[in-house]
Amino acid sequence: ETGVTQTPRHLVMGMTNKKSLKCEQHLGHNAMYWYKQSAKKPLELMFVYSLEERVENNSVPSRFSPECPNSSHLFLHLHTLQPEDSALYLCASSQGRRGSLYEQFFGPGTRLTVL
Amino acid sequence: EDKVVQSPLSLVVHEGDTVTLNCSYEVTNFRSLLWYKQEKKAPTFLFMLTSSGIEKKSGRLSSILDKKELFSILNITATQTGDSAVYLCAVGEGSSNTGKLIFGQGTTLQVKP
């Protein structure tokens, strides 16, 4: 256990559905991240939140909508996804916002399949 | 464009062997280099390196960074079947002060009994 939990662990949805992924960290960190991991590709950073403020949006399509209500919780709202969005979605958190001097701790991921 | 390249992409060894995994990078505003181990779940943190030439060690694993030649290696000695995993290298990029990590594609290690 890394102190970062994600729900659900598996999700199958149709292209017209709306669903949300949830991430919670119990480490007292103040930065949280969403990554996408597709087969045969490196982890891709999607969003960064630092002290509940979105500080990075890595050219992610608008069908992905993040929300960070407080420093312990992070959501990824999904709507009208495409089959190519099927991937493992990983959440991570880190201690500080000062560049990359703090390791990131990852949750177990949500395996998303879009039919 | 910033990039991180790992080699080899996959590796099969037998228990007891020693392996060396490579990570090279081209990142404009380098802050740190991190190694993670990923089995069928969350990547777990192994090492963070920020200074050249200083080896970090944890049991049978060790890693070192060369900031002049822009690469790092991860060594695993006396490998065990439990070392089978994908090993991820990531470089911390500091221009935006957001803790952005740029990942390589990973090296898949299989250790056979």
Side-chain angles (χ1 to χ4, degrees), chain A residues 38-72:
Chain A
S38 305
K40 310 290 186 188
K41 292 177 70 175
L43 264 78
E44 301 170 63
L45 179 66
M46 300 175 73
F47 301 103
V48 180
Y49 275 83
S50 180
L51 296 173
E52 301 147 44
E53 176 189 350
R54 189 192 310 181
V55 295
E56 181 96 11
N57 178 346
N58 222 24
S59 303
V60 180
S62 60
R63 57 187 183 269
F64 295 91
S65 174
E67 179 190 0
C68 187
N70 55 61
S71 59
S72 299

Side-chain angles (χ1 to χ4, degrees), chain A residues 1-2 7 9 14 24 36 52 68 73 78-79 85 91 94 103 112:
Chain A
E1 285 294 330
T2 62
T7 55
R9 296 292 304 277
E24 184 173 358
K36 177 183 179 183
E52 301 147 44
C68 187
H73 294 86
L78 316 171
H79 63 98
D85 296 322
C91 173
S94 68
E103 60 267 33
L112 173 67

Side-chain angles (χ1 to χ4, degrees), chain A residues 37 55 97 99-101 104 107, chain B residues 31-32 36 38 42 97 99-100:
Chain A
Q37 188 174 35
V55 295
R97 54 185 292 190
S100 306
L101 294 178
Q104 293 179 18
Chain B
R31 296 295 297 274
S32 58
Y36 286 87
Q38 185 177 25
N97 216 33
K100 181 177 179 179

Side-chain angles (χ1 to χ4, degrees), chain B residues 10-78:
Chain B
S10 64
L11 190 55
V12 180
V13 301
H14 288 91
E15 275 192 313
D17 289 348
T18 294
V19 298
T20 299
L21 309 183
N22 303 290
C23 176
S24 63
Y25 62 89
E26 293 177 27
V27 176
T28 305
N29 197 343
F30 174 93
R31 296 295 297 274
S32 58
L33 187 142
L34 298 88
W35 285 97
Y36 286 87
K37 176 183 181 182
Q38 185 177 25
E39 297 168 269
K40 294 189 179 184
K41 44 187 166 86
T44 52
F45 172 77
L46 296 175
F47 299 111
M48 174 186 276
L49 303 147
T50 56
S51 301
S52 272
I54 299 174
E55 184 183 54
K56 292 217 171 178
K57 201 168 169 64
S58 176
R60 296 176 294 103
L61 277 67
S62 63
S63 183
I64 197 161
L65 172 67
D66 186 328
K67 290 169 73 173
K68 182 179 176 185
E69 300 296 330
L70 308 183
F71 78 93
S72 173
I73 60 172
L74 175 68
N75 276 323
I76 309 175
T77 59

